[in-house]
Amino acid sequence: MKLYEYEGKQLFRKYGIPVPPGMVASSIEEAVTAAQNLGLPVVLKAQVLVGGRGKAGGIVKAETLDEVRAKASRLLGSEIRGVPVNKLLVEKAVNIEKELYLSITMDRVSARPIILASAMGGVDIEEIAKEHPEAIVKRPIDPLVGLKSYESRIIAYKLGISKDHFSTFARLLQGLYKLFVDYDAELAEINPLAITDQGLLALDSKVIVDDNSLYRHGELLTGETRAERGEMTEYEEKAAELGLAYVELDGNIGIIGNGAGLTMATMDMVSYYGGRPADFLDLGGAASHERVYKATKFLMEHPGVDVLFINIFGGITRCDEVAKGIVEAVKEVGLKKPMVVKLVGTNEEIGWKILEEVGIKVFKDMEAAAQLAVKLASGKEG
Ligand code: GDP
Ligand code: MN
């Protein structure tokens, strides 16, 4: 789960990472009050979970209260990269001397947390990596030993940070590392980490918490749903509640497979024959009839799906269970949309019989099935 900048900064404060004084505002009046309390000038920052807000006009400076009013009213209710702005972070503006980049993420190669830092902050790390890979300092951390202060000093030195800021930097990095570990983060990023006339300040925050760990970070889950945060679509959230592994796409062929590999191969084949997948939905291993029922019903009721394509290879999964689940869903919601089923493997003959009894034709060949699904879906999209 991605945290908003203001949520990330609350964690930064808790871990001793210096941030400018700031307040969250959901209305123009709140923004004005915040500016009065903080003192002018302030920076108004759109709280949306997308990157590059600055370039998209989501970060603006206001020198007077009238400007705060005008700019807050322009930002609130507008969209930044398609995401509506409901909240602003009003922060006391600072004078930036230099912008650095600092983050901790998980490194798959060393299988350790890794510190990434650069003296070229402000811009996206992807851009720095492409144009100036040599400008990125990388340092994996041994999780058993933790981050040692000499390591922070090496990084500070490589970033060209002046000696006066070494100890603040070391404390800040230690805090960021602790936060990263405590919150099971996939990413804890400060971009920019600014050198200002008031010392080092984290001007932005990007924290992503591993979804699998959310059960132990309940305090992060207050308030908005994941869909409201713009992190999931409404249907992705519904699917998550049903326990289905589902990613919504913008085509019109609803796909159900078992196993991520087969599901992706199904999507590829649909695309190959000129169709457009409406989703990725993986039933996983040993799918029960309830699970198949839920998935089938879910896509039958999805307004964006014109044709259903169910592609199952029964290994541990039994074809009779799958067929039972499909029939349960069809009996409940009806065959509102054409459905193409390819079903082979364990207990296939029983499965075929169950489906044929309710008039569902079963394919044994994936290519023929994909071609038919594409044919049925063509011309339906509009
Ligand atoms: P992002 O574009 O979504 O990454 O948003 P950031 O929070 O990183 O802001 C983008 C840029 O706005 C930063 O790189 C800074 O140059 C500038 N900025 C952000 N906060 C302040 C501030 O308090 N004072 C000043 N002067 N500039 C700021
Ligand atoms: Mn940023």
Side-chain angles (χ1 to χ4, degrees):
M1 182 169 87
K2 285 184 194 163
L3 301 190
Y4 285 110
E5 177 189 5
Y6 76 89
E7 295 172 319
K9 282 179 168 169
Q10 276 163 11
L11 296 185
F12 284 2
R13 282 200 184 90
K14 181 170 154 191
Y15 285 85
I17 299 166
V19 294
M23 293 166 91
V24 180
S26 324
S27 68
I28 302 167
E29 281 320 306
E30 280 175 21
V32 172
T33 311
Q36 275 169 330
N37 288 331
L38 296 165
L40 292 156
V42 292
V43 177
L44 306 177
K45 311 186 80 181
Q47 297 301 289
V48 283
L49 295 170
V50 292
R53 294 168 304 161
K55 280 189 207 139
I59 314 280
V60 291
K61 198 169 172 182
E63 309 273 355
T64 65
L65 290 182
D66 283 342
E67 252 182 61
V68 172
R69 201 169 281 118
K71 291 181 175 171
S73 93
R74 208 178 314 139
L75 277 176
L76 284 166
S78 73
E79 288 191 350
I80 301 287
R81 296 178 191 247
V83 183
V85 180
N86 300 319
K87 282 195 193 99
L88 301 177
L89 175 61
V90 184
E91 269 190 352
K92 188 147 171 85
V94 296
N95 297 315
I96 303 171
E97 281 164 30
K98 191 169 167 47
E99 301 194 347
L100 311 170
Y101 175 94
L102 181 65
S103 74
I104 305 179
T105 187
M106 208 48 100
D107 177 33
R108 283 157 204 264
V109 177
S110 61
R112 290 171 181 199
I114 188 168
I115 296 171
L116 301 175
S118 175
M120 303 174 80
V123 282
D124 286 348
I125 189 70
E126 288 82 2
E127 246 167 75
I128 311 173
K130 208 159 66 192
E131 317 256 322
H132 303 280
E134 74 291 344
I136 301 178
V137 179
K138 297 181 187 171
R139 215 172 161 95
I141 306 167
D142 185 333
L144 297 179
V145 179
L147 175 67
K148 302 304 252 180
S149 62
Y150 77 87
E151 293 183 294
S152 301
R153 281 199 300 280
I154 291 172
I155 295 166
Y157 178 77
K158 286 189 177 165
L159 293 180
I161 293 175
S162 78
K163 288 245 161 49
D164 323 338
H165 297 313
F166 266 36
S167 64
T168 319
F169 181 80
R171 228 179 313 124
L172 182 154
L173 187 52
Q174 199 61 254
L176 193 66
Y177 180 67
K178 188 149 188 341
L179 184 161
F180 178 85
V181 173
D182 289 354
Y183 277 87
D184 302 294
E186 289 170 0
L187 175 72
E189 181 187 84
I190 307 175
N191 187 27
L193 170 63
I195 302 175
T196 73
D197 45 10
Q198 300 153 58
L200 287 174
L201 283 175
L203 288 196
D204 192 7
S205 86
K206 185 168 175 189
V207 177
I208 305 176
V209 176
D210 186 338
D211 283 347
N212 294 311
S213 78
L214 286 176
Y215 72 95
R216 52 185 184 198
H217 306 298
E219 81 275 15
L220 298 176
L221 292 170
T222 51
E224 295 171 318
T225 65
R226 304 290 297 277
E228 282 164 349
R229 295 170 75 92
E231 269 204 284
M232 282 186 182
T233 67
E234 183 197 335
Y235 276 87
E236 283 171 347
E237 191 161 49
K238 275 188 200 168
E241 279 162 19
L242 294 171
L244 299 170
Y246 168 80
V247 179
E248 187 166 19
L249 300 165
D250 60 3
N252 67 338
I253 302 178
I255 288 171
I256 298 176
N258 65 327
L262 180 64
T263 309
M264 284 195 272
T266 309
M267 295 162 70
D268 283 351
M269 195 162 279
V270 161
S271 298
Y272 178 77
Y273 287 117
R276 294 178 56 231
D279 62 83
F280 165 94
L281 198 168
D282 169 19
L283 292 172
S288 64
H289 65 95
E290 281 113 296
R291 204 168 158 71
V292 178
Y293 153 79
K294 276 192 212 164
T296 310
K297 179 172 184 292
F298 177 73
L299 287 190
M300 271 290 181
E301 290 176 338
H302 190 303
V305 172
D306 290 326
V307 175
L308 238 77
F309 181 15
I310 303 178
N311 187 9
I312 305 294
F313 176 77
I316 310 171
T317 303
R318 285 167 31 206
C319 292
D320 55 321
E321 278 284 311
V322 172
K324 262 205 304 203
I326 294 174
V327 170
E328 275 167 43
V330 167
K331 283 203 171 139
E332 189 179 320
V333 292
L335 250 181
K336 282 195 267 198
K337 300 166 184 175
M339 185 156 79
V340 179
V341 182
K342 192 227 76 183
L343 186 64
V344 293
T346 310
N347 288 359
E348 58 186 17
E349 270 152 27
I350 312 173
W352 297 341
K353 194 156 162 277
I354 294 172
L355 288 171
E356 272 151 18
E357 272 168 8
V358 296
I360 297 170
K361 184 173 176 307
V362 187
F363 282 81
K364 286 136 208 164
D365 172 49
M366 173 157 159
E367 298 207 354
Q371 277 170 305
L372 177 63
V374 171
K375 193 165 153 231
L376 290 168
S378 72
K380 285 213 171 186
E381 221 164 358

